[in-house]
Amino acid sequence: MARGQLRVYLGAAPGVGKTYKMLEEGRRRQQRGTDVVVGFVETHGRPFTEAMLSGLEVVPRKAMTYRGAEFTEMDLDAVLARHPEVVVVDELAHTNVPGSRHAKRFHDIEELLDAGITVLTTVNIQHLESLNDVVEQITGVPQRETVPDAVVRRAEQIELVDMTPEALRRRMAHGNIYRAEKVNAALGNYFRVGNLTALRELALLWLADKVDDQLDHYRAQHGIDTTWETRERVVVALTGGPEGDTLIRRAARVAARTKAADLLAVHVIRGDGLAGADPANLARQRILVETLGGTYHQVVGNDVPAALLDFARGVNATQLVLGASRRNRLAQILSPGVGVTATAESGSIDVHLVTHEQVRRGRLRLGTTGGLTLRRRLVGVAFAAVGLPLLTVGLNAVQADISLPSDILAFLMLTVAVALVGGLWPALFAAVGSFLLLNYYFTPPLHRFTVAERENLFALLAFVLVATAVATVVDLAARRTREAASARAEAQTLATLAGSVLHGDQPLQALLERVRESFGLASVTLLQRRDAESGSRGEADTWQIAASDGGQPCTSPADGETEVPIDDDLSLVLRGPTLAASDRRLIEAFAANAAIALRQQRLSEQAAAAGSLAEVDKLRTALLSAVSHDLRTPLASAKAAVGSLRSHDIEFSTEDREELLATAEESLDKLNRLVENLLDMSRLQAGALGMHPQPISVGEAIPRSVDDLGDIAAGVRISVPDDLPEVYADPTLLERILVNVLANALRYSPPEQPPLISVSEHAGLVEVRIIDHGPGIPTADRDRVFQPFQRLGDRDNTTGVGLGLALSRGLAEAMGGNLDPENTPGGGLTMTLTLRTAEPDTYPATPDEQADPALLKRLDQFHHGPTDGTA
């Protein structure tokens, strides 16, 4: 039976019309004669969606009981028994009630597909597993129901149901998504323009990657190797030479000219797996590529131009950046080189040949040692020196029984044996000695270095050539074997070192520790010149320890057995056994990484210190400017009132005395509140603010806060639902927040329109809105209003120290909530205080609770959006 096809309607947010589009497609197929049924659709009470169900056969849902509550799920068995051609199943990421056959709805859909039934379904971008944390960071709402990306990517068709944020908010305001009492909360939280724009971009980018994969699959399936310039991709070829930095930066500039262009760096390794490039340069250039936002790749190939072009066509590259040849003119005449060959065969790929300082200076070759050790070479020479006379004596003894060809074969066998033992040069020594001995003792005329017959001369010359060729092959094989073993050991060491660095909290220390352990060193020390940070130059030999690992660290390069200079100011000093040349190359590669890790560590420390100092200095400056007026004003008023009362020159009436006392008391109360705010802000910034959170009724806290403000708050209107749940907060701090925010609203509200305090509950969150109709705050200043000592009033910029809103937001965040500004319809400012309810079901979910469908269902029934995840 053929497997059914999956069609997914992807949306950026709830309400864009995914379910509507899915049902529209179902009706279209039904009108075309296809057998279509509805397995499960959640209309959320939206009339337009409910109207689309008209005329479609709906499979009755299956009733289930869990923890005493009744739920309905898709009846999978009934759909399988009905076995339509197409089934409509809403909410791909939905979690089924425990007791269902499958834990997740996408498992149900997989079974339907296996049964040969085509499925139409929907999913929002926030429910994709790979984007779950990103969406939570953007919206502040955790998504408990997710679906693996692979499930969606396997779909034969993915259709994006797109809508601009402004259009979606209009649809929300018209009541086409949620009920009227939920609209304000949704618009002020999940459905903000910024949130919707970010979610829309995520959906478009994710779908673009899916389309890219489909394009690659289509091109591979149809054998299309030409470049389709659907996206700009710049490939830069690296040889590991010093010119690589220039090429990378040039390619990055080329890629930067086009938005969303990809930068890819590629290095071609020989087919035998042996490295022909400097690993230190490649490691440094890889870091540079990744720093510039590109990716690094390695491919294997003996034909470098063909390997480069195959890689470029494989990634659908549009441009290829190569360095001008480092070979001299004679070498270029004998062979055209990589650049010329790649340009000639590139086809539609644009090739850039970039000049650099290494042009025509010759290709750098790493010094390589022979394939065999010196001891084996000496043994080979000794073997030849002893074996040649002994073989000559032996062959002389049987000269009457054998001919010259047999003598030649005997000496050839000895030469091959010498090559196996000592390599090329001992074998060449044996070949030359064999030639002379064969000529003198076994070729007529005997005991003379002459050859009478041309056939014998040819045989002797052929012997020398064959012996030399065999010795060369043996020596080359030995060299390649040793190089391969060395390369394998280097690769294992690099992998171990890289793993330790990536998994460590302190990359620099982890790198030094691994270097010491891998090479059996006593200590590894990274030294820096004492005057390097200041940029001056003092004594040449003054060093300081930047980082070390192992025993006694070295205090200068002379203290260690091996020094690996990194640059003018940094040096890696090793104490322990002297390293071989191949090991030193490996150390150089990681010395470059150690320098980068050190600089990143220093930059992070400097940035943190600079940020702290800047904040302290900013706070100090603001405090001093505020103290000049806001502390002195109430002090001056209180002092003037008390001084007048103590004066014996003026007789005050009882009413005057009461008025002066009231003035003094009011001024001292202002001063007391100001000092309390300053102290609380300092405690909050120091993390020493004591809190005692407990379940508390917002409906009771609001009247107390209004009473604290006295007569000026007499006209404040309050709207609190009777069934409002309690919040989990500190009662004292909650009242402080309400008093500060309400006082700010009263200061700027016109007398005929006093502030309104409106409270609502949405998806486990209680939102207290303090709404005024004053001048409001410009959008650009909304972040500044929460900074300490900022006063942004339109009418009065001299009242208050500018600390109330900053303190209020800090207190709200300390209790797990938030305080956000938004525009009041018709003009003004609305401050929204968001706190979590005190109900256990709405506490932050534990891993076990996240899989509890009953909890999800209860929340779903409240806000009529089972998988929308709005807040």
Side-chain angles (χ1 to χ4, degrees), residues 521-559:
L521 301 170
S523 68
V524 180
T525 307
L526 182 62
L527 294 178
Q528 183 179 28
R529 292 186 186 274
R530 292 186 182 276
D531 50 7
E533 296 183 0
S534 64
S536 60
R537 278 286 179 267
E539 298 179 10
D541 296 330
T542 56
W543 297 84
Q544 62 182 0
I545 299 174
S548 67
D549 186 78
Q552 181 67 27
C554 301
T555 57
S556 69
D559 293 343

Side-chain angles (χ1 to χ4, degrees), residues 220-231:
Q221 191 176 36
H222 291 77
I224 301 173
D225 55 4
T226 57
T227 300
W228 288 6
E229 298 185 14
T230 55
R231 180 188 296 186

Side-chain angles (χ1 to χ4, degrees), residues 162-183:
D162 189 31
M163 180 175 288
T164 65
E166 294 77 12
L168 183 57
R169 284 172 60 86
R170 283 196 301 270
R171 178 180 288 184
M172 172 72 73
H174 293 158
N176 294 331
I177 300 178
Y178 291 134
R179 293 179 302 180
E181 62 269 22
K182 305 293 182 182
V183 170

Side-chain angles (χ1 to χ4, degrees), residues 1-6 37 39-40 74-89 101-102 105-120:
M1 179 184 298
R3 178 179 168 88
Q5 293 189 346
L6 177 63
V37 302
F40 186 96
M74 179 179 68
D75 194 337
L76 179 60
D77 291 326
V79 175
L80 290 172
R82 173 66 174 75
H83 205 280
E85 294 180 69
V86 178
V87 61
V88 177
V89 183
R101 182 182 308 176
H102 302 296
R105 182 162 291 164
F106 66 81
H107 294 142
D108 297 339
I109 291 177
E110 286 290 333
E111 186 169 346
L112 293 173
L113 294 172
D114 291 338
I117 302 174
T118 294
V119 179
L120 308 180

